[in-house]
Amino acid sequence: RTPTGTAVARVLGICASLLAAGALLLRLWGPAGRPLAVQPREAAMASVAATAQIPKLVNPKTDGTVLIVGASGRCGSEAYRTCVAEGWSDVRCLVRSEKRGREVLGPNAKLVVGDVRDPDSLAAAMKGVTHVVICIGKVRKEEGSTAEKVEYEGVCNIVAAAQASGKVERMVYVTSSGVDSPNRRAIVFFNMVGGMGLGWKLRAETALRDSGIPYVVVRPVGLKDSESFVAPEIRQCKPYEWGVCMISRNAVGQICAHALTDAPANPIL
């Protein structure tokens, strides 16, 4: 290759990189050179149905019993409130602390004290349950609370209890975006610093799929507590968007509640 040809190739490569960067900035900031406006929460949540293929509930069958595992957390508590608002006849909340559960969920919540690491407590909580939402995670600096014990073995215990009951019609499980890409550098890093958390979540997904119980896997990315992170649209991000997209935990909780009745069979959202 001549020096001139090499120089031209370099210029073309730089131009291609600038075009790709410009396209990404346009997606993030909009055509007017400013951040895309965040719609009001009601409008943003209405887009969940269209983008995640979860239609708005119309006379849903909500006469069963829902068990929300991890109900005192941000995702779980919103799943509880949405299930109640949608008219489920019986919503149970599995919590480790009755005091905290009451503080977060209010005086009318039906609390069941248990721990995903205690199969006996799960068997008792699962009696008569038809639908399950799993929103759990390890607790930092708590002895015995590891990704393996909570996010893998805990899910296996939940699945075993659901199989034993013989009445569970669907399970919704919140994991994380990126669990299916263990060789990506960012995922390798997060697994190293997080006790292989994403790896254990993936194994838990496999246990759920192998259970034979209809399921929905929800893989959010960029979880935030602030309601300002209810995005204009809610969808599964592309690989090149990983680490840029964000979503509020409340939005994830609402998606879980709607997925109980309206998600297609065995999807990953």
Side-chain angles (χ1 to χ4, degrees):
R1 178 182 294 181
T2 65
T4 301
T6 301
V8 171
R10 288 177 179 175
V11 170
L12 291 176
I14 292 172
C15 290
S17 299
L18 289 174
L19 288 173
L24 179 59
L25 288 173
L26 184 61
R27 292 173 63 88
L28 296 176
W29 289 87
R34 60 181 180 273
L36 295 173
V38 176
Q39 301 174 8
R41 179 178 177 182
E42 293 77 10
M45 288 311 303
S47 70
V48 174
T51 56
Q53 298 183 351
I54 304 178
K56 186 177 180 181
L57 298 179
V58 178
N59 297 322
K61 182 181 178 181
T62 55
D63 58 350
T65 297
V66 179
L67 175 66
I68 300 177
V69 184
S72 60
R74 286 300 302 270
C75 293
S77 60
E78 187 64 23
Y80 161 73
R81 284 186 284 269
T82 304
C83 285
V84 171
E86 294 295 341
W88 283 91
S89 56
D90 186 13
V91 184
R92 301 178 192 171
C93 302
L94 185 74
V95 296
R96 294 195 301 155
S97 167
E98 183 174 359
K99 179 181 178 181
R100 172 169 169 74
R102 196 60 68 195
E103 291 173 350
V104 173
L105 302 170
N108 297 322
K110 184 179 292 186
L111 304 183
V112 181
V113 178
D115 193 307
V116 297
R117 295 167 293 185
D118 179 5
D120 290 338
S121 69
L122 293 175
M126 199 69 68
K127 291 181 179 179
V129 169
T130 57
H131 296 74
V132 180
V133 176
I134 307 172
C135 302
I136 61 174
K138 67 177 183 178
V139 179
R140 294 179 182 177
K141 299 182 180 181
E142 179 180 297
E143 185 177 357
S145 182
T146 65
E148 180 180 3
K149 293 296 183 182
V150 175
E151 298 172 18
Y152 172 60
E153 293 182 8
V155 173
C156 290
N157 291 336
I158 297 168
V159 169
Q163 289 175 310
S165 75
K167 296 184 178 181
V168 175
E169 300 173 10
R170 173 168 286 196
M171 304 181 74
V172 178
Y173 175 36
V174 179
T175 63
S176 177
S177 178
V179 297
D180 58 342
S181 304
N183 294 324
R184 285 165 51 190
R185 293 180 181 179
I187 305 304
V188 171
F189 172 76
F190 284 124
N191 272 325
M192 287 178 60
V193 301
M196 291 300 297
L198 295 176
W200 290 117
K201 286 178 185 289
L202 181 59
R203 291 190 64 180
E205 284 189 14
T206 301
L208 177 58
R209 281 190 284 270
D210 291 344
S211 70
I213 299 173
Y215 65 86
V216 178
V217 172
V218 180
R219 291 178 177 172
V221 63
L223 281 173
K224 300 296 179 182
D225 289 331
S226 173
E227 280 300 291
S228 64
F229 287 98
V230 177
E233 65 173 350
I234 300 177
R235 57 176 172 77
Q236 187 59 261
C237 69
K238 303 297 183 182
Y240 58 83
E241 296 173 321
W242 199 91
V244 177
C245 296
M246 298 177 184
I247 189 170
S248 75
R249 286 180 168 83
N250 282 358
V252 173
Q254 293 185 27
I255 290 171
C256 290
H258 288 291
L260 287 173
T261 54
D262 291 319
N266 301 341
I268 296 176
L269 303 179

